[in-house]
Amino acid sequence: MSEEQSITYVAQPGGQLSGQFRVPGDKSISHRSIMLGSLSEGSMTVSGFLQGEDSLATLTAFRAMGVDIIGPDPMGKVIIHGVGMHGLKAPKEPLDLGNSGTSMRLLTGLLSAQGFNLTLTGDHSLSTRPMKRVTDPVIQMGANILSQDKGTAPLSINSDDNTQLSGIDYTLPMASAQVKSCVLLAGLYAQGQTCVTEPAPTRDHTERMLQGFGYKLDIEKLDEQRSKICLQGGGKLTACDIDVPSDISSAAFFMVGASISEGSDITLNHVGINPTRIGIINILRDMGADITLTNEKEVGGEPVADIRIRYAQLKGIHIPEDQVPLAIDEFPAIAIAAACAQGKTILTGAEELRVKESDRIQAMVDGLQILGIDCEGTDDGMIINGGQIGSGTVDSLGDHRIAMSFAMASLRANGTITIQDCANVNTSFPGFIKLSQSSGLNVDIKAMS
Ligand code: S3P
């Protein structure tokens, strides 16, 4: 296929991680900073913007809709001159969102009633991922969206000056921040009130940022798990500078790497520790990891901290299901921790992993089995028996998080691990190889064919 597909990582066994460093900016917050900044009145600066392909796809899409966006500069500074809620212009071409599910799902809501027609497209992986979960509620609100036979992208969103969405009271069928955000963003353009009830807490960056931009939300906790978030359509957003913290989902690879390799001691600076994202810390601690948080503070409405991780012998656990949505992107890395732990780790309630950038249950089980680990996939999770990681060639299936997880596995392997199809690491973690090398991982990129 594409030339990009030929990027292969070769990771030599052993080593340990050390040093104090920062991983790139949070992907979810970077996306949302472009979306809300573009719709706001006034100009704003984003610092620490993630210069990964996914968040850049969102940035490029808004430029194509007429928003003046300057940057990012090498430090991740972006200046956005907002056009207001009704200032976007029809893009001349389909908006190509690459590998980015967040771009496609959030834009489906945000662009459903702009008064112009547009098409959202993506790469092969994105074109096979479920989109009915976002098109269904937005169509119920009055949008006109055409998808492919299986409810997948490309999506054609048609609206004109007469399109009027109506508010909805929507209960999410699954714990998904992307679906929640899609409906809330459509709700900004709807007549009356839009409410979303979530079955379990999911990342709340959309809610925090909307409030930071001066939009009023009503958030009601219905019980231990469920919350209802409501807003009135027709309001406006006021530009507000954003300091993007480091992405805890990128930090997760180093947290696992340090936890599994004897002698490791690293500190990851300025990492976002939003309570809806800290499943990785809770789960690793349950497994016996040595994790300390210092310098806790709030930056632009999001909590951040420095995270120190030292090697510790991990033990297998049954991962509490209430932690699953809080660590939804971290299970490839957690599977590596489980493979290095003493005893059995059981993951349940995680069927959403089957519809991420790849089927992450299958991808991790296949790769771990190749490396000699006794494990199996279930409909909604995995069972992994800790053991000795061996050597072999694993396929990341073009999934950034699978590729980075197997790179970390090399720290405990007894032979070389070759990881295929790694180009998409650039969607979320540009500079991963360099940072890994400088912190002690023995990994390199094999020359492209
Ligand atoms: C994201 C939400 C999550 C996560 C994705 C980013 C977001 O997806 O997996 O990487 O920024 O809202 P779901 O909400 O579909 O679980």
Side-chain angles (χ1 to χ4, degrees), residues 30-35 38 46 49-73 76-80 88 95-97 100 103 107:
S30 295
H31 281 299
R32 288 158 171 83
S33 68
I34 299 292
M35 294 178 191
S38 295
V46 185
F49 180 78
L50 170 65
Q51 300 181 61
E53 287 166 8
D54 278 11
S55 37
L56 289 171
T58 292
L59 186 154
T60 306
F62 279 89
R63 265 195 192 135
M65 291 186 285
V67 184
D68 181 14
I69 305 176
I70 299 159
D73 75 3
K77 183 171 141 189
V78 177
I79 298 167
I80 307 169
L88 296 178
L95 298 175
D96 182 357
L97 305 170
S100 177
S103 310
L107 290 189

Side-chain angles (χ1 to χ4, degrees), residues 195-422:
C195 294
V196 182
T197 300
E198 57 179 357
T202 66
R203 65 191 69 193
D204 63 358
H205 306 299
T206 301
E207 296 94 300
R208 285 174 186 251
M209 208 181 283
L210 279 170
Q211 289 171 315
F213 279 66
Y215 212 99
K216 189 176 170 316
L217 298 188
D218 287 316
I219 303 177
E220 188 190 350
K221 213 165 158 24
L222 301 177
D223 55 39
E224 261 314 297
Q225 286 291 294
R226 292 178 314 132
S227 294
K228 184 170 186 171
I229 304 116
C230 297
L231 56 76
Q232 290 287 335
K236 63 174 187 154
L237 298 167
T238 308
C240 164
D241 289 346
I242 291 175
D243 178 354
V244 182
S246 287
D247 198 328
I248 192 166
S249 295
S250 297
F253 303 107
F254 290 93
M255 294 172 70
V256 167
S259 295
I260 63 173
S261 50
E262 219 169 322
S264 289
D265 183 354
I266 57 169
T267 300
L268 303 167
N269 291 327
H270 202 72
V271 182
I273 52 158
N274 180 313
T276 59
R277 298 286 299 280
I278 56 168
I280 179 68
I281 297 178
N282 300 336
I283 292 167
L284 284 179
R285 276 185 173 155
D286 272 7
M287 295 176 80
D290 180 353
I291 301 175
T292 339
L293 269 50
T294 53
N295 271 332
E296 290 190 43
K297 57 184 172 197
E298 191 153 309
V299 176
E302 290 280 350
V304 298
D306 296 337
I307 306 181
R308 182 176 184 189
I309 309 101
R310 282 173 282 189
Y311 166 76
Q313 175 59 58
L314 303 180
K315 61 175 194 313
I317 58 165
H318 188 155
I319 296 169
E321 287 198 9
D322 64 2
Q323 294 301 309
V324 170
L326 312 183
I328 194 64
D329 289 339
E330 281 60 87
F331 287 104
I334 290 168
I336 300 299
C340 298
Q342 250 161 17
K344 192 193 289 279
T345 297
I346 303 172
L347 171 66
T348 52
E351 55 278 351
E352 277 294 303
L353 295 183
R354 293 213 177 264
V355 290
K356 293 294 178 187
E357 286 83 329
S358 69
D359 175 342
R360 287 183 173 161
I361 293 175
Q362 199 61 46
M364 288 312 296
V365 166
D366 286 349
L368 285 173
Q369 285 177 346
I370 287 168
L371 299 177
I373 296 295
D374 172 19
C375 60
E376 63 178 289
T378 59
D379 286 349
D380 66 342
M382 297 179 252
I383 302 170
I384 299 173
N385 290 297
Q388 172 61 52
I389 296 181
S391 62
T393 298
V394 299
D395 189 348
S396 80
L397 300 175
D399 184 328
H400 53 140
R401 301 200 197 279
I402 304 293
M404 291 185 273
S405 299
F406 280 115
M408 289 298 160
S410 65
L411 289 160
R412 273 282 282 273
N414 62 12
T416 305
I417 301 180
T418 302
I419 310 154
Q420 295 172 323
D421 202 359
C422 298

Side-chain angles (χ1 to χ4, degrees), residues 27-28 32 102 105 133 175-178 203 328-329 356:
K27 185 150 76 75
S28 296
R32 288 158 171 83
T102 305
R105 296 218 176 98
R133 56 179 62 195
S176 166
Q178 293 182 344
R203 65 191 69 193
I328 194 64
D329 289 339
K356 293 294 178 187

Side-chain angles (χ1 to χ4, degrees), residues 79-268:
I79 298 167
I80 307 169
H81 298 294
V83 295
M85 296 301 290
H86 299 284
L88 296 178
K89 297 199 175 69
K92 294 195 175 68
E93 312 271 343
L95 298 175
D96 182 357
L97 305 170
N99 194 245
S100 177
T102 305
S103 310
M104 186 166 288
R105 296 218 176 98
L106 271 58
L107 290 189
T108 298
L110 193 154
L111 298 177
S112 58
Q114 293 291 339
F116 53 75
N117 300 339
L118 72 140
T119 303
L120 303 179
T121 66
D123 69 6
H124 175 72
S125 155
L126 187 54
S127 306
T128 59
R129 295 182 65 188
M131 291 299 149
K132 247 173 95 60
R133 56 179 62 195
V134 283
T135 53
D136 275 355
V138 181
I139 288 171
Q140 278 179 44
M141 295 171 81
N144 176 356
I145 305 178
L146 298 175
S147 58
Q148 306 309 300
D149 287 348
K150 290 184 177 154
T152 49
L155 304 178
S156 301
I157 304 178
N158 301 309
S159 66
D160 57 27
D161 291 344
N162 298 320
T163 305
Q164 179 57 65
L165 303 183
S166 313
I168 189 176
D169 189 346
Y170 193 67
T171 299
L172 296 180
M174 75 289 288
S176 166
Q178 293 182 344
V179 182
K180 169 176 69 175
S181 301
C182 167
V183 176
L184 290 175
L185 294 173
L188 298 176
Y189 290 93
Q191 226 157 33
Q193 180 170 257
T194 292
C195 294
V196 182
T197 300
E198 57 179 357
T202 66
R203 65 191 69 193
D204 63 358
H205 306 299
T206 301
E207 296 94 300
R208 285 174 186 251
M209 208 181 283
L210 279 170
Q211 289 171 315
F213 279 66
Y215 212 99
K216 189 176 170 316
L217 298 188
D218 287 316
I219 303 177
E220 188 190 350
K221 213 165 158 24
L222 301 177
D223 55 39
E224 261 314 297
Q225 286 291 294
R226 292 178 314 132
S227 294
K228 184 170 186 171
I229 304 116
C230 297
L231 56 76
Q232 290 287 335
K236 63 174 187 154
L237 298 167
T238 308
C240 164
D241 289 346
I242 291 175
D243 178 354
V244 182
S246 287
D247 198 328
I248 192 166
S249 295
S250 297
F253 303 107
F254 290 93
M255 294 172 70
V256 167
S259 295
I260 63 173
S261 50
E262 219 169 322
S264 289
D265 183 354
I266 57 169
T267 300
L268 303 167

